[in-house]
Amino acid sequence: MPIALFALTVAAYAIGTTEFVIVGLLPTVAADLNIDLPLAGLIVSVYALGVTFGAPVLTALTGRAPRKALLLGLMALFIAGNAGAALSPDYASLLVARVISAFAHGVFFSVGATIAADLVAPNRRASAIAMMFMGLTVAIVTGVPLGTFIGQHFGWRATFAGVAVLGVVAFLAIAVLLPAQLSRPEPAKLSDQLKVLASGRLLIVFAMTALGYGGTFVAFTYLAAILETVTGFDAGAVSLILVLYGAAIAAGNLIGGRIADRDPVKALTGLFAAQALVLAVFGFTMSAPLAALATLVALGFLSFANVPGLQIYVVELARLYRPGAVDVASALNIAAFNLGIAIGAWVGGRVVASPFGLEATPFVGAGLVAVALGLTIWSGVLDRRADATAAQAA
């Protein structure tokens, strides 16, 4: 693998850290800014919405920009957003800073995957893209717990200052390691994205993605608060638990891809069923430390195990129903993941603010995943009908 890929991996690590580290810092941020947990949870939703709507629009608008200059501009925007978060005097300015970071996030992964593939021979493109996204996975395992630890001991602003420094490292790595001349594919038009959104079959998968992936975030957004106030762990233990949870996520993402290779719908049906069940079980085990930890390992594994299958499935359906816009469909499914995060965090906030409180978040999350399970079963039925119709026509 060319060393230029290292620059993209470092940038992905920084972006992954800033996206998920807020989960471990919500109680700290809420206490410092004198806001309640549901209001703090909107910090997660606003960031995810920034990625959801900023990525497709900004990717289309910047399609003709030179690739290296665009990446450098995105990392400069990322640094500005995280520096702004570190200097935020109040809640409103923190939200603005998070949106700025989110805009950089969405476009980076859209453009970065294409660049990573172009840096290697055609038979190594999948490995190159996987190496870039490895930065995101490693961020969940190490960057989020470390950022949580820093925030708990030195203040949450110190965490975002540290992420801004990571952004500077990534900026310099891109400037030095990436070649100046990079191929620029034909930019995707907004009209192409609208055509994909007009496909009912693809909309079902986008809904599966948003609800199945986002369901976990009803509880995950408030995981630090659950572990401290319900389970009884002290704040220092939360960062260690996040290491364990992150390792389970990494394993789930890897094994989930292998499970989904042969039959994505069958794999997703089983994974969503298990995910809904484990979320419901966590609602009962969260008050017992050892049982809660065991459940969280299973939940971490399942929460990201569905990601490869969802992405594979949307590409398969796009080839059938929108063959001229497969890349656009794939990008919109990434947006659906982030829409799911926004929905899950927002719903979780409403649950926390209700009389049912933190203890009810896993049950509501299980309900959202159950809806995704129903959509998956329905989509599988539609696939079989389409296959039968095609066989009769032949």
Side-chain angles (χ1 to χ4, degrees):
M1 290 292 173
I3 194 171
L5 273 175
F6 175 74
L8 300 178
T9 304
V10 172
Y13 180 85
I15 291 171
T17 298
T18 203
E19 178 179 22
F20 293 113
V21 75
I22 190 66
V23 169
L25 296 176
L26 275 191
T28 306
V29 172
D32 183 71
L33 296 180
N34 197 27
I35 57 176
D36 58 24
L37 273 177
L39 198 58
L42 285 179
I43 300 170
V44 178
S45 293
V46 166
Y47 184 96
L49 287 174
V51 177
T52 301
F53 296 106
V57 174
L58 292 177
T59 299
L61 293 176
T62 59
R64 300 189 183 280
R67 303 291 88 180
K68 182 171 182 177
L70 176 58
L71 282 186
L72 289 173
L74 291 173
M75 291 316 299
L77 189 65
F78 176 83
I79 294 165
N82 283 281
L87 298 172
S88 296
D90 52 37
Y91 178 71
S93 56
L94 176 58
L95 287 182
V96 172
R98 293 292 286 168
V99 170
I100 292 172
S101 299
F103 285 162
H105 174 145
V107 186
F108 173 84
F109 281 109
S110 176
V111 174
T114 304
I115 293 175
D118 287 344
L119 289 172
V120 298
N123 65 334
R124 304 193 70 188
R125 286 177 176 173
S127 297
I129 294 172
M131 182 174 177
M132 184 191 80
F133 276 92
M134 184 176 67
L136 188 62
T137 306
V138 174
I140 296 171
V141 179
T142 63
V144 172
L146 180 58
T148 301
F149 177 84
I150 291 171
Q152 290 171 342
H153 289 80
F154 303 101
W156 59 270
R157 291 178 178 85
T159 298
F160 287 112
V163 176
V165 172
L166 278 177
V168 172
V169 174
F171 180 95
L172 294 174
I174 290 170
V176 173
L177 299 179
L178 271 189
Q181 300 300 321
L182 293 166
S183 63
R184 186 181 64 204
E186 187 67 25
K189 300 176 182 177
L190 288 175
S191 58
D192 292 332
Q193 298 174 13
L194 293 176
K195 289 178 183 177
V196 170
L197 291 174
S199 169
R201 293 294 287 111
L202 288 171
L203 285 177
I204 293 174
V205 189
F206 295 151
M208 288 162 50
T209 297
L211 296 173
Y213 182 73
T216 299
F217 279 81
V218 178
F220 178 60
T221 301
Y222 300 94
L223 184 58
I226 290 172
L227 292 173
E228 291 178 25
T229 61
V230 180
T231 315
F233 288 106
D234 59 47
V238 171
S239 57
L240 295 176
I241 294 170
L242 287 174
V243 174
L244 182 67
Y245 191 85
I249 284 175
N253 193 47
L254 178 64
I255 296 174
R258 295 178 180 175
I259 294 174
D261 274 339
R262 292 184 179 178
D263 189 338
V265 174
K266 184 177 180 181
L268 289 169
T269 300
L271 289 170
F272 282 148
Q275 186 181 347
L277 176 63
V278 171
L279 269 167
V281 169
F282 183 53
F284 294 104
T285 62
M286 64 165 67
S287 58
L290 290 179
L293 287 178
T295 311
L296 279 177
V297 170
L299 184 58
F301 179 91
L302 291 165
S303 62
F304 274 63
N306 55 37
V307 172
L310 287 165
Q311 201 65 15
I312 291 168
Y313 189 41
V314 80
V315 169
E316 287 184 356
L317 288 185
R319 286 172 177 162
L320 290 173
Y321 297 99
R322 290 295 184 271
V326 175
D327 289 342
V328 173
S330 179
L332 286 174
N333 201 47
I334 298 296
F337 281 113
N338 286 280
L339 180 61
I341 294 174
I343 292 171
W346 181 82
V347 170
R350 304 286 67 75
V351 175
V352 172
S354 75
F356 300 103
L358 284 167
E359 291 88 343
T361 54
F363 297 111
V364 176
L368 292 183
V369 177
V371 175
L373 173 61
L375 289 172
T376 304
I377 294 171
W378 180 30
S379 190
V381 170
L382 294 176
D383 288 343
R384 288 190 288 275
R385 287 179 182 174
D387 291 342
T389 301
Q392 289 176 355

